[in-house]
Amino acid sequence: MEIRYLKQEEKEASRELYEKCFPEDSEAFTDYYYQYKCQDNHILVMEDREQICSMIHLNPFRMNLYGNICGVHYIVAVATLEEYRRRGYMLELMNRAFHDMYERGEPFTFLIPANPDYYYSCGFEYWDSQIELKQDQDNIWKGQQISTARESECLELARFSNRVLGKKFDMFIEKDEAYYRRLIKEQSSENGQIVVLREQDGAVSGIFAFDRESGVEIREPIMETGCTEYIHPLMMGRILNLKRFCAMIKSEEPFNMVLEIRDGMIPENNGKFWISIDKNGGRAIPMEQGEPEKSMDIARFGKMMFNKMRIYVN
C-alpha cells in the first residue's frame, strides 16, 4: 500500500471512487468539481497496486480569524472502497494530512461530518457557536434592484462580503474575486445562480446564492440588514498547530493558564504551555517547569476556544 498526493494530471483518476461514494452528487456538479475545485486542491490517496482504494481531498480556503488572514484546508470527499474499509487506511491518511498541514503552519482544519463519531476520535469537535443567516423575506426586496451576478462584478462582491462579515463575525471565509467566479460556476452546475441586491444609487446591499437541485435552496445570504441569525453547528473543527492557532485568536475576557495539552495525532502539540489570550492576541509558550493548572486533550481545548467565537463559515 502506498500513500501519496496525486499530481495535477492524475486527479481525474480519483473520480471513479468519488462517484461510487457520493452518488447523490449530480454529474453536472461532479464535472464542475473536477474542472474547477481540483485545480488547486490536494488529493491524498491510498493505493493498492495503482488502484485508488481510499482518499481525502484538501480544498484550500483563506480564513479571516479575528482580522488575521490564514490559509487552511477544508477536508472533503473522504471515501474508501467498500472492500477496503475497516482496515485503518483512513486514519493513516488523516495522520499524513494532519502532519503536512501542521508543517505548513495551518492553525486548524474543518469538515462537515458524515459520521461524527469517527471524527471525534481524530480530535474534531463541533463548532457549537457556528451561525447561519436566514433572509427576512418580508422586507428583503423593498427598494432593491435585483440582478444575476456577472463575473465582472466578482471583485466588488468580495469586497462587500468581507466588509459586512468582518463587522459581525470573529471567523469567516475571506472572499476574493476567484471565490465568487467559482461560486457562479458552482451554482450554475446545480441549476442556480448568485443574486445581487443594489440600492437605487447602484451600491451593493446584499448577495445570496440559490440552486434548484432539490427544490429551491437559498445559500450564503450576506447583507447589512435583513438577515436573522441562527445557531447551526454544522461543521467540526480541529486545531492543527497549537502555537499558530493561539497566535491568531483574541478574547475580550483575558485567558491565562498553564495547560498540559495532549494530542494523540500531532506530537508537536503535546506538552505544558502557558497560554495567554486577550483582546490584542494570544500566544502558547512551552513550559519546562512548574505544574499545569489543568490537563486536557487538543479537542477539548479547541472546543473551548472555538465556542468563544462568532463563526460564520457556510
Side-chain angles (χ1 to χ4, degrees), residues 89-161:
Y89 294 158
M90 189 53 64
L91 185 60
E92 291 186 50
L93 289 177
M94 283 287 182
N95 261 312
R96 171 67 182 273
F98 287 177
H99 173 79
D100 293 342
M101 289 187 284
Y102 171 90
E103 290 296 326
R104 289 194 293 265
E106 298 180 28
F108 67 92
T109 187
F110 63 110
L111 52 78
I112 297 177
N115 179 1
D117 289 338
Y118 173 78
Y119 295 106
Y120 286 132
S121 67
C122 293
F124 286 88
E125 285 284 351
Y126 273 105
W127 288 341
D128 292 336
S129 61
Q130 184 176 355
I131 294 168
E132 180 180 359
L133 297 177
K134 296 282 190 182
Q135 287 176 290
D136 300 333
Q137 298 297 314
D138 291 343
N139 58 15
I140 188 62
W141 311 112
K142 291 182 179 179
Q144 305 293 301
Q145 299 175 2
I146 304 167
S147 62
T148 300
R150 303 185 303 270
E151 290 199 4
S152 60
E153 299 174 297
C154 288
L155 180 58
E156 181 185 16
L157 300 184
R159 288 172 174 170
F160 171 81
S161 174

Coordinates of all heavy atoms in Angstrom, one line a residue, residues 89-161:
Y89 N -7.1 2.5 7.0 CA -6.5 3.3 5.9 C -6.8 4.7 6.1 O -6.0 5.6 5.9 CB -6.9 2.8 4.6 CG -6.4 1.4 4.2 CD1 -7.0 0.6 3.2 CD2 -5.3 0.8 4.9 CE1 -6.6 -0.7 2.9 CE2 -4.9 -0.4 4.6 CZ -5.5 -1.2 3.6 OH -5.1 -2.4 3.3
M90 N -8.1 5.1 6.4 CA -8.5 6.5 6.5 C -7.7 7.1 7.7 O -7.3 8.3 7.5 CB -10.0 6.6 6.7 CG -10.5 8.0 6.6 SD -9.9 8.9 5.1 CE -10.8 7.9 3.9
L91 N -7.5 6.5 8.7 CA -6.7 7.0 9.9 C -5.3 7.3 9.4 O -4.7 8.4 9.8 CB -6.7 6.1 11.1 CG -6.0 6.6 12.3 CD1 -6.7 7.9 12.8 CD2 -6.1 5.6 13.4
E92 N -4.7 6.5 8.6 CA -3.4 6.7 8.1 C -3.4 7.9 7.2 O -2.4 8.8 7.2 CB -2.9 5.5 7.3 CG -2.6 4.3 8.1 CD -1.9 3.2 7.3 OE1 -1.0 3.4 6.6 OE2 -2.4 2.0 7.4
L93 N -4.4 8.1 6.4 CA -4.5 9.3 5.5 C -4.6 10.6 6.3 O -4.0 11.6 6.1 CB -5.6 9.2 4.5 CG -5.5 8.1 3.4 CD1 -6.8 8.1 2.6 CD2 -4.3 8.5 2.5
M94 N -5.5 10.5 7.4 CA -5.6 11.7 8.2 C -4.3 12.0 8.9 O -4.0 13.2 9.0 CB -6.7 11.4 9.3 CG -8.1 11.4 8.8 SD -8.7 13.2 8.4 CE -10.3 12.9 7.9
N95 N -3.6 11.0 9.4 CA -2.3 11.3 10.1 C -1.4 12.0 9.1 O -0.7 13.0 9.5 CB -1.7 10.0 10.5 CG -1.9 9.7 12.0 OD1 -1.7 10.6 12.8 ND2 -2.4 8.5 12.3
R96 N -1.3 11.6 7.9 CA -0.4 12.2 6.9 C -0.9 13.6 6.6 O -0.1 14.6 6.6 CB -0.4 11.4 5.7 CG 0.3 12.0 4.5 CD 1.8 12.2 4.7 NE 2.4 12.9 3.5 CZ 2.8 12.2 2.4 NH1 2.7 10.9 2.3 NH2 3.4 12.9 1.4
A97 N -2.2 13.8 6.4 CA -2.7 15.1 6.1 C -2.5 16.1 7.3 O -2.1 17.2 7.1 CB -4.2 15.0 5.8
F98 N -2.8 15.6 8.5 CA -2.5 16.5 9.7 C -1.1 16.9 9.8 O -0.8 18.1 10.0 CB -2.9 15.8 10.9 CG -4.4 15.6 11.1 CD1 -4.9 14.9 12.2 CD2 -5.3 16.1 10.3 CE1 -6.3 14.7 12.4 CE2 -6.7 16.0 10.5 CZ -7.2 15.3 11.6
H99 N -0.2 16.0 9.6 CA 1.3 16.3 9.7 C 1.7 17.3 8.6 O 2.4 18.3 8.9 CB 2.1 15.0 9.5 CG 3.6 15.3 9.4 ND1 4.3 15.5 10.5 CD2 4.4 15.4 8.3 CE1 5.6 15.7 10.1 NE2 5.7 15.7 8.8
D100 N 1.2 17.2 7.4 CA 1.6 18.1 6.3 C 1.0 19.5 6.6 O 1.6 20.5 6.3 CB 1.1 17.5 5.0 CG 1.9 16.3 4.6 OD1 2.9 16.0 5.2 OD2 1.4 15.5 3.7
M101 N -0.3 19.5 7.0 CA -0.9 20.8 7.3 C -0.2 21.5 8.5 O 0.0 22.7 8.5 CB -2.4 20.7 7.5 CG -3.2 20.4 6.2 SD -5.0 20.4 6.4 CE -5.3 18.8 7.3
Y102 N 0.2 20.7 9.5 CA 0.9 21.3 10.6 C 2.2 21.9 10.2 O 2.6 23.0 10.6 CB 1.2 20.2 11.7 CG 2.1 20.6 12.8 CD1 1.6 21.2 13.9 CD2 3.5 20.5 12.6 CE1 2.5 21.7 14.9 CE2 4.4 20.9 13.6 CZ 3.9 21.5 14.7 OH 4.7 22.0 15.7
E103 N 3.0 21.2 9.3 CA 4.2 21.7 8.8 C 4.1 23.0 8.0 O 5.0 23.8 8.0 CB 4.9 20.6 8.0 CG 5.4 19.4 8.8 CD 6.5 19.8 9.7 OE1 7.3 20.7 9.4 OE2 6.6 19.2 10.8
R104 N 3.0 23.2 7.4 CA 2.7 24.4 6.6 C 2.3 25.5 7.5 O 2.0 26.6 7.1 CB 1.7 24.2 5.5 CG 2.2 23.3 4.4 CD 1.2 23.4 3.2 NE -0.1 22.8 3.5 CZ -0.4 21.5 3.1 NH1 0.5 20.7 2.6 NH2 -1.6 21.0 3.4
G105 N 2.1 25.2 8.8 CA 1.7 26.3 9.8 C 0.2 26.6 9.8 O -0.2 27.6 10.3
E106 N -0.6 25.6 9.3 CA -2.0 25.9 9.2 C -2.6 25.7 10.6 O -2.4 24.7 11.3 CB -2.7 24.9 8.3 CG -2.2 25.1 6.8 CD -2.9 24.2 5.8 OE1 -4.1 23.8 6.1 OE2 -2.3 23.9 4.8
P107 N -3.3 26.7 11.1 CA -3.8 26.7 12.5 C -4.8 25.6 12.8 O -4.9 25.1 13.9 CB -4.3 28.1 12.8 CG -4.7 28.6 11.4 CD -3.7 28.0 10.5
F108 N -5.7 25.3 11.9 CA -6.8 24.4 12.1 C -7.3 23.9 10.8 O -6.9 24.4 9.7 CB -7.9 25.0 12.9 CG -8.7 26.1 12.1 CD1 -9.8 25.8 11.4 CD2 -8.2 27.4 12.2 CE1 -10.5 26.8 10.7 CE2 -8.9 28.4 11.5 CZ -10.0 28.1 10.8
T109 N -8.1 22.8 10.8 CA -8.8 22.3 9.6 C -10.3 22.1 10.0 O -10.6 22.2 11.2 CB -8.2 21.0 9.1 OG1 -8.8 20.7 7.9 CG2 -8.3 19.9 10.1
F110 N -11.1 21.9 9.0 CA -12.6 21.7 9.3 C -13.2 20.9 8.3 O -12.7 20.6 7.2 CB -13.2 23.1 9.5 CG -13.3 23.9 8.2 CD1 -14.4 24.2 7.5 CD2 -12.1 24.5 7.7 CE1 -14.5 24.9 6.4 CE2 -12.1 25.3 6.6 CZ -13.3 25.5 5.9
L111 N -14.4 20.4 8.6 CA -15.2 19.5 7.7 C -16.6 19.4 8.1 O -17.0 19.9 9.2 CB -14.5 18.1 7.7 CG -14.3 17.4 9.1 CD1 -15.6 16.8 9.7 CD2 -13.3 16.3 8.9
I112 N -17.4 18.9 7.3 CA -18.8 18.5 7.6 C -18.9 17.0 7.7 O -18.6 16.3 6.8 CB -19.8 19.0 6.5 CG1 -19.8 20.5 6.4 CG2 -21.2 18.5 6.9 CD1 -20.7 21.0 5.3
P113 N -19.1 16.5 8.9 CA -19.0 15.0 9.1 C -20.2 14.2 8.6 O -21.4 14.6 8.7 CB -19.0 14.9 10.6 CG -19.8 16.0 11.1 CD -19.6 17.2 10.1
A114 N -19.9 13.1 8.0 CA -21.0 12.1 7.7 C -21.2 11.3 8.9 O -22.4 10.9 9.2 CB -20.5 11.2 6.5
N115 N -20.2 10.9 9.6 CA -20.3 10.2 10.9 C -19.4 10.9 11.9 O -18.2 10.7 12.0 CB -19.8 8.7 10.6 CG -19.8 7.9 11.9 OD1 -20.3 8.4 13.0 ND2 -19.4 6.6 11.8
P116 N -20.0 11.7 12.8 CA -19.2 12.5 13.7 C -18.4 11.6 14.7 O -17.3 12.0 15.2 CB -20.2 13.3 14.5 CG -21.5 12.7 14.2 CD -21.4 12.0 12.9
D117 N -18.9 10.4 15.0 CA -18.2 9.5 15.9 C -16.7 9.2 15.4 O -15.8 9.2 16.2 CB -18.9 8.2 16.2 CG -20.2 8.4 17.0 OD1 -20.3 9.4 17.7 OD2 -21.1 7.6 16.9
Y118 N -16.6 9.1 14.1 CA -15.2 8.8 13.6 C -14.3 10.0 13.8 O -13.2 9.9 14.2 CB -15.3 8.5 12.1 CG -13.9 8.4 11.5 CD1 -13.2 7.2 11.7 CD2 -13.4 9.4 10.8 CE1 -11.9 7.2 11.2 CE2 -12.1 9.4 10.3 CZ -11.4 8.2 10.5 OH -10.1 8.2 10.0
Y119 N -14.9 11.2 13.6 CA -14.0 12.4 13.6 C -13.7 12.8 15.1 O -12.7 13.5 15.3 CB -14.7 13.5 12.8 CG -14.7 13.2 11.4 CD1 -15.9 12.8 10.7 CD2 -13.6 13.2 10.6 CE1 -15.9 12.4 9.4 CE2 -13.6 12.8 9.3 CZ -14.8 12.5 8.7 OH -14.8 12.1 7.4
Y120 N -14.6 12.5 16.0 CA -14.3 12.7 17.4 C -13.0 12.1 17.8 O -12.1 12.6 18.5 CB -15.4 12.2 18.3 CG -16.7 13.0 18.4 CD1 -17.9 12.4 18.3 CD2 -16.6 14.4 18.6 CE1 -19.1 13.1 18.3 CE2 -17.8 15.1 18.6 CZ -19.0 14.5 18.5 OH -20.2 15.2 18.5
S121 N -12.8 10.9 17.2 CA -11.6 10.1 17.6 C -10.3 10.7 16.9 O -9.2 10.4 17.3 CB -11.7 8.6 17.1 OG -11.8 8.6 15.7
C122 N -10.5 11.6 16.0 CA -9.4 12.3 15.3 C -9.1 13.7 15.9 O -8.3 14.4 15.4 CB -9.6 12.4 13.8 SG -9.6 10.8 13.0
G123 N -9.9 14.0 17.0 CA -9.6 15.3 17.6 C -10.5 16.4 17.2 O -10.3 17.6 17.5
F124 N -11.6 16.1 16.4 CA -12.5 17.1 15.9 C -13.6 17.3 17.0 O -14.0 16.4 17.7 CB -13.2 16.7 14.6 CG -12.3 16.9 13.4 CD1 -11.5 15.8 13.0 CD2 -12.3 18.0 12.6 CE1 -10.6 15.9 11.9 CE2 -11.5 18.2 11.5 CZ -10.6 17.1 11.1
E125 N -14.2 18.5 17.0 CA -15.4 18.8 17.8 C -16.2 19.8 17.0 O -15.8 20.6 16.2 CB -15.0 19.5 19.1 CG -14.4 18.6 20.2 CD -15.4 17.7 20.8 OE1 -16.6 17.9 20.6 OE2 -15.0 16.8 21.6
Y126 N -17.5 19.7 17.2 CA -18.5 20.6 16.6 C -18.2 22.1 17.0 O -17.8 22.3 18.1 CB -19.9 20.3 16.9 CG -20.5 19.2 16.0 CD1 -20.7 17.9 16.4 CD2 -20.9 19.6 14.7 CE1 -21.3 17.0 15.6 CE2 -21.4 18.6 13.8 CZ -21.6 17.3 14.3 OH -22.1 16.4 13.4
W127 N -18.4 23.0 16.0 CA -18.4 24.4 16.3 C -19.8 24.8 16.8 O -20.7 25.1 16.0 CB -18.1 25.2 15.1 CG -16.6 25.1 14.6 CD1 -15.6 24.7 15.4 CD2 -16.1 25.4 13.3 NE1 -14.4 24.7 14.7 CE2 -14.7 25.2 13.4 CE3 -16.7 25.9 12.2 CZ2 -13.9 25.4 12.3 CZ3 -15.8 26.1 11.1 CH2 -14.4 25.8 11.1
D128 N -20.0 24.7 18.1 CA -21.3 24.9 18.7 C -21.8 26.3 18.5 O -23.0 26.6 18.6 CB -21.3 24.6 20.2 CG -21.1 23.1 20.5 OD1 -21.4 22.3 19.6 OD2 -20.7 22.7 21.6
S129 N -20.9 27.3 18.2 CA -21.3 28.7 18.1 C -21.4 29.1 16.6 O -21.5 30.3 16.3 CB -20.3 29.6 18.8 OG -19.0 29.4 18.2
Q130 N -21.4 28.1 15.7 CA -21.5 28.4 14.3 C -22.8 29.0 14.0 O -23.9 28.5 14.4 CB -21.2 27.2 13.4 CG -21.2 27.5 11.9 CD -20.9 26.2 11.1 OE1 -20.6 25.2 11.6 NE2 -21.0 26.4 9.8
I131 N -22.8 30.1 13.2 CA -24.0 30.9 12.9 C -24.5 30.7 11.5 O -23.6 30.8 10.6 CB -23.8 32.4 13.3 CG1 -23.6 32.6 14.8 CG2 -25.0 33.3 12.8 CD1 -23.1 33.9 15.2
E132 N -25.7 30.6 11.3 CA -26.3 30.6 9.9 C -27.2 31.8 9.8 O -27.8 32.3 10.8 CB -27.2 29.3 9.7 CG -27.8 29.2 8.4 CD -28.7 28.0 8.2 OE1 -28.7 27.2 9.2 OE2 -29.3 27.8 7.1
L133 N -27.2 32.4 8.6 CA -28.0 33.6 8.3 C -29.2 33.2 7.5 O -29.1 32.4 6.5 CB -27.2 34.6 7.6 CG -26.0 35.2 8.4 CD1 -25.3 36.2 7.5 CD2 -26.5 35.9 9.7
K134 N -30.4 33.7 7.8 CA -31.6 33.5 7.1 C -32.1 34.8 6.7 O -32.2 35.7 7.5 CB -32.7 32.7 7.9 CG -32.3 31.3 8.3 CD -32.4 30.3 7.1 CE -32.3 28.9 7.6 NZ -32.4 27.9 6.5
Q135 N -32.5 34.9 5.4 CA -33.1 36.2 4.9 C -34.5 36.4 5.5 O -35.3 35.5 5.7 CB -33.2 36.2 3.4 CG -31.9 36.3 2.7 CD -32.1 36.2 1.2 OE1 -32.4 35.1 0.7 NE2 -31.9 37.3 0.5
D136 N -34.7 37.7 5.9 CA -36.0 38.1 6.3 C -36.9 38.4 5.1 O -36.7 39.5 4.5 CB -35.9 39.3 7.3 CG -35.1 39.1 8.5 OD1 -35.0 37.9 8.9 OD2 -34.5 40.0 9.0
Q137 N -37.7 37.6 4.7 CA -38.4 37.7 3.4 C -39.4 38.9 3.3 O -39.7 39.3 2.3 CB -39.1 36.4 3.1 CG -38.2 35.2 3.0 CD -37.3 35.3 1.8 OE1 -37.7 35.7 0.7 NE2 -36.0 35.0 2.0
D138 N -39.9 39.3 4.5 CA -40.9 40.4 4.5 C -40.4 41.7 3.9 O -41.2 42.4 3.2 CB -41.4 40.7 5.9 CG -42.2 39.5 6.5 OD1 -42.6 38.6 5.6 OD2 -42.4 39.4 7.7
N139 N -39.1 42.0 4.1 CA -38.7 43.3 3.6 C -37.4 43.3 2.7 O -36.9 44.3 2.4 CB -38.4 44.3 4.8 CG -37.4 43.7 5.7 OD1 -36.7 42.8 5.4 ND2 -37.4 44.3 6.9
I140 N -37.0 42.1 2.3 CA -35.7 42.0 1.6 C -35.7 42.7 0.3 O -34.7 43.2 -0.2 CB -35.3 40.5 1.5 CG1 -33.9 40.4 1.0 CG2 -36.2 39.7 0.6 CD1 -32.8 41.0 1.9
W141 N -36.9 42.7 -0.4 CA -36.9 43.2 -1.8 C -37.3 44.7 -1.9 O -37.2 45.2 -2.9 CB -38.0 42.4 -2.6 CG -37.8 40.9 -2.4 CD1 -38.7 40.1 -1.8 CD2 -36.8 40.1 -2.9 NE1 -38.2 38.8 -1.8 CE2 -37.1 38.8 -2.5 CE3 -35.6 40.3 -3.6 CZ2 -36.2 37.7 -2.8 CZ3 -34.8 39.3 -3.9 CH2 -35.1 38.0 -3.5
K142 N -37.7 45.3 -0.8 CA -38.2 46.7 -0.8 C -37.1 47.6 -1.3 O -36.1 47.8 -0.7 CB -38.7 47.1 0.5 CG -40.0 46.3 0.9 CD -40.5 46.8 2.3 CE -41.8 46.1 2.6 NZ -42.3 46.5 3.9
G143 N -37.4 48.3 -2.4 CA -36.5 49.4 -2.9 C -35.2 48.9 -3.4 O -34.2 49.6 -3.6
Q144 N -35.1 47.5 -3.7 CA -33.8 47.0 -4.2 C -33.8 46.7 -5.7 O -34.9 46.3 -6.2 CB -33.5 45.6 -3.4 CG -33.5 45.7 -1.9 CD -32.4 46.6 -1.4 OE1 -31.2 46.3 -1.7 NE2 -32.7 47.6 -0.7
Q145 N -32.7 46.9 -6.3 CA -32.5 46.5 -7.7 C -32.0 45.1 -7.6 O -31.0 44.8 -6.9 CB -31.6 47.4 -8.4 CG -32.1 48.9 -8.5 CD -31.0 49.8 -9.1 OE1 -30.0 49.3 -9.6 NE2 -31.4 51.0 -9.2
I146 N -32.5 44.2 -8.4 CA -32.1 42.8 -8.4 C -31.6 42.3 -9.7 O -32.1 42.6 -10.8 CB -33.4 41.9 -8.0 CG1 -34.0 42.4 -6.7 CG2 -33.0 40.4 -7.9 CD1 -35.4 41.8 -6.5
S147 N -30.4 41.6 -9.7 CA -29.8 41.1 -10.9 C -29.0 39.9 -10.6 O -28.7 39.5 -9.5 CB -28.9 42.2 -11.5 OG -27.8 42.5 -10.6
T148 N -28.7 39.1 -11.7 CA -27.9 38.0 -11.6 C -26.4 38.4 -11.6 O -26.0 39.2 -12.4 CB -28.1 37.0 -12.8 OG1 -29.5 36.6 -12.7 CG2 -27.2 35.8 -12.7
A149 N -25.6 37.8 -10.7 CA -24.2 38.2 -10.6 C -23.4 37.9 -11.9 O -23.6 36.8 -12.5 CB -23.5 37.5 -9.5
R150 N -22.6 38.8 -12.4 CA -21.7 38.6 -13.5 C -20.3 38.5 -13.0 O -19.9 39.0 -12.0 CB -21.9 39.8 -14.5 CG -23.3 40.0 -15.0 CD -23.3 41.1 -16.0 NE -22.8 42.4 -15.5 CZ -23.5 43.3 -14.9 NH1 -24.8 43.1 -14.7 NH2 -22.9 44.4 -14.5
E151 N -19.5 37.8 -13.8 CA -18.1 37.7 -13.5 C -17.4 39.0 -13.3 O -16.4 39.1 -12.5 CB -17.3 36.8 -14.5 CG -17.8 35.3 -14.4 CD -16.8 34.4 -15.1 OE1 -15.7 34.8 -15.5 OE2 -17.1 33.2 -15.1
S152 N -17.8 40.0 -14.0 CA -17.1 41.3 -13.9 C -17.4 42.0 -12.6 O -16.7 43.0 -12.2 CB -17.6 42.2 -15.1 OG -19.0 42.4 -15.0
E153 N -18.4 41.5 -11.8 CA -18.7 42.1 -10.5 C -18.1 41.3 -9.4 O -18.2 41.8 -8.2 CB -20.3 42.0 -10.3 CG -21.1 42.8 -11.3 CD -22.6 42.5 -11.2 OE1 -23.0 41.4 -11.3 OE2 -23.3 43.5 -10.9
C154 N -17.3 40.3 -9.6 CA -16.9 39.4 -8.5 C -16.0 40.1 -7.5 O -16.0 39.9 -6.3 CB -16.2 38.2 -9.1 SG -17.3 37.0 -9.9
L155 N -15.1 41.0 -8.0 CA -14.2 41.7 -7.0 C -15.1 42.6 -6.1 O -14.8 42.7 -4.9 CB -13.2 42.5 -7.8 CG -12.2 43.3 -6.9 CD1 -11.4 42.4 -6.0 CD2 -11.2 44.1 -7.8
E156 N -16.0 43.3 -6.7 CA -16.9 44.2 -5.9 C -17.7 43.3 -4.9 O -17.9 43.8 -3.7 CB -17.9 44.9 -6.9 CG -18.9 45.8 -6.2 CD -19.9 46.4 -7.1 OE1 -20.0 45.9 -8.3 OE2 -20.5 47.4 -6.7
L157 N -18.2 42.2 -5.3 CA -18.9 41.3 -4.3 C -18.0 40.8 -3.2 O -18.5 40.8 -2.0 CB -19.5 40.1 -5.1 CG -20.5 40.4 -6.2 CD1 -21.1 39.1 -6.8 CD2 -21.6 41.4 -5.8
A158 N -16.8 40.5 -3.5 CA -15.8 40.0 -2.5 C -15.6 41.1 -1.5 O -15.6 40.9 -0.3 CB -14.6 39.5 -3.1
R159 N -15.4 42.3 -1.9 CA -15.1 43.4 -1.0 C -16.3 43.7 -0.1 O -16.2 44.0 1.1 CB -14.7 44.7 -1.8 CG -13.3 44.6 -2.4 CD -13.0 45.7 -3.4 NE -11.7 45.7 -3.9 CZ -11.2 46.4 -4.9 NH1 -12.0 47.3 -5.5 NH2 -9.9 46.3 -5.3
F160 N -17.5 43.7 -0.7 CA -18.7 43.9 0.1 C -18.8 42.8 1.1 O -19.1 43.1 2.3 CB -19.9 43.9 -0.8 CG -21.2 43.9 -0.1 CD1 -21.8 45.1 0.4 CD2 -21.9 42.7 0.1 CE1 -23.0 45.1 1.1 CE2 -23.1 42.7 0.8 CZ -23.7 43.9 1.3
S161 N -18.7 41.6 0.7 CA -18.8 40.4 1.6 C -17.8 40.5 2.8 O -18.2 40.4 4.0 CB -18.6 39.1 0.9 OG -18.6 38.0 1.8

